[in-house]
Amino acid sequence: MAEALFWPVALGVLGAIVGSFVATLAIRWPEGESVMRGRSRCDGCDRTLAARDLVPLLSAAMLRGRCRSCDHAIDPRHWRIEAIAAVIGIAAGLASADPIALVGACFGWLLLALGALDVVALWLPDRLTAVLAGSGITAGLIGAGPAMTDRLIGGVAGYVGLWAVAAIYRRVRGRDGMGGGDPKLFGAIGLWLGWQLLPAVLLLACLVGLAVVLIAAVRGRAMAADTALPLGALLAIAAYPAWLVMIGHTS
């Protein structure tokens, strides 16, 4: 029993810590601020936050999401991303109670970082997408998941497939309908999952996008034909469950 709980608990805790960094990345990087330099501070009183104010999830819960000094609301994206990263780690530990769980959790955390940046700034940095792609190849080299041939085919098929869709849309409509980072992300996902799961990932991403549009309509928010949706975030949301299913079938 203790051994079965080790990976979910350990990766859940690690996920909350990783999520703290991912939240900082998603908030600071689009603003041109350094992620690695500079202490965390309150947006209200500019007070440098102490270590006790930076414990992932716990500090936000104990302080009710507000600054200890000025009671200014702390950006809720911090605890939300920390919570999602913790869930990603727990899910990986439940799917595979061995070191492969850590590999999958890293996949999920990278997807979370890319998805968060896409939601915040409609931006998928090439450097971060390259890390996702490189780690997918590395995972194949250590024997985690699909064969390397399937991964390489998935990488090419993912990129070329979405690139072709974007090119056809541009030719027919006379304007861009997709960001340049989306095909790169889909190719990187293919390097993790292999080519077989790419259609399911794309279908699920489209269904999630449709759900977002329907929810917005119910809430009275108009969605025009040219309203930008973060396709990269939708692909990230769809890709991680696909990895969990794949690992569940091979375990």
Side-chain angles (χ1 to χ4, degrees):
M1 183 64 178
E3 184 178 352
L5 290 175
F6 171 77
W7 286 104
V9 172
L11 291 178
V13 173
L14 180 59
I17 297 170
V18 171
S20 181
F21 174 77
V22 171
T24 302
L25 180 82
I27 293 170
R28 289 188 183 181
W29 202 359
E31 299 297 327
E33 299 180 19
S34 173
V35 178
M36 304 302 296
R37 300 175 184 173
R39 298 285 300 277
S40 297
R41 61 187 184 277
C42 172
D43 295 329
C45 63
D46 207 38
R47 179 183 71 89
T48 299
L49 301 180
R52 61 177 177 169
D53 300 323
L54 298 172
V55 180
L57 293 178
L58 292 180
S59 292
M62 293 179 65
L63 297 173
R64 293 175 296 175
R66 312 193 76 84
C67 174
R68 187 186 303 274
S69 298
C70 70
D71 203 41
H72 185 275
I74 298 173
D75 194 325
R77 287 178 293 183
H78 285 285
W79 70 263
R80 290 172 182 171
I81 292 176
E82 289 168 1
I84 294 171
V87 171
I88 287 172
I90 293 170
L94 292 173
S96 180
D98 55 41
I100 297 300
L102 177 58
V103 175
C106 290
F107 176 49
W109 295 330
L110 285 168
L111 289 173
L112 175 60
L114 285 158
L117 286 166
D118 201 28
V119 169
V120 170
L122 291 176
W123 180 40
L124 296 169
D126 286 345
R127 282 179 288 176
L128 197 54
T129 304
V131 172
L132 182 68
S135 59
I137 294 174
T138 302
L141 291 174
I142 65 175
M148 183 61 73
T149 301
D150 292 337
R151 289 176 184 266
L152 294 177
I153 294 173
V156 173
Y159 175 78
V160 173
L162 271 197
W163 179 87
V165 170
I168 293 171
Y169 183 93
R170 189 184 308 113
R171 181 68 176 265
V172 173
R173 300 296 297 273
R175 57 184 174 86
D176 289 331
M178 185 185 304
D182 296 319
K184 298 173 187 176
L185 174 59
F186 201 38
I189 290 171
L191 289 172
W192 270 92
L193 301 179
W195 63 271
Q196 295 95 333
L197 285 176
L198 289 183
V201 169
L202 187 57
L203 175 61
L204 181 56
C206 292
L207 292 175
V208 174
L210 178 60
V212 170
V213 172
L214 292 176
I215 292 172
V218 169
R219 292 182 175 179
R221 292 175 53 193
M223 300 287 284
D226 59 350
T227 299
L229 286 176
L231 178 58
L234 300 176
L235 291 172
I237 291 171
Y240 190 60
W243 181 86
L244 293 174
V245 171
M246 178 183 70
I247 291 300
H249 285 167
T250 57
S251 296

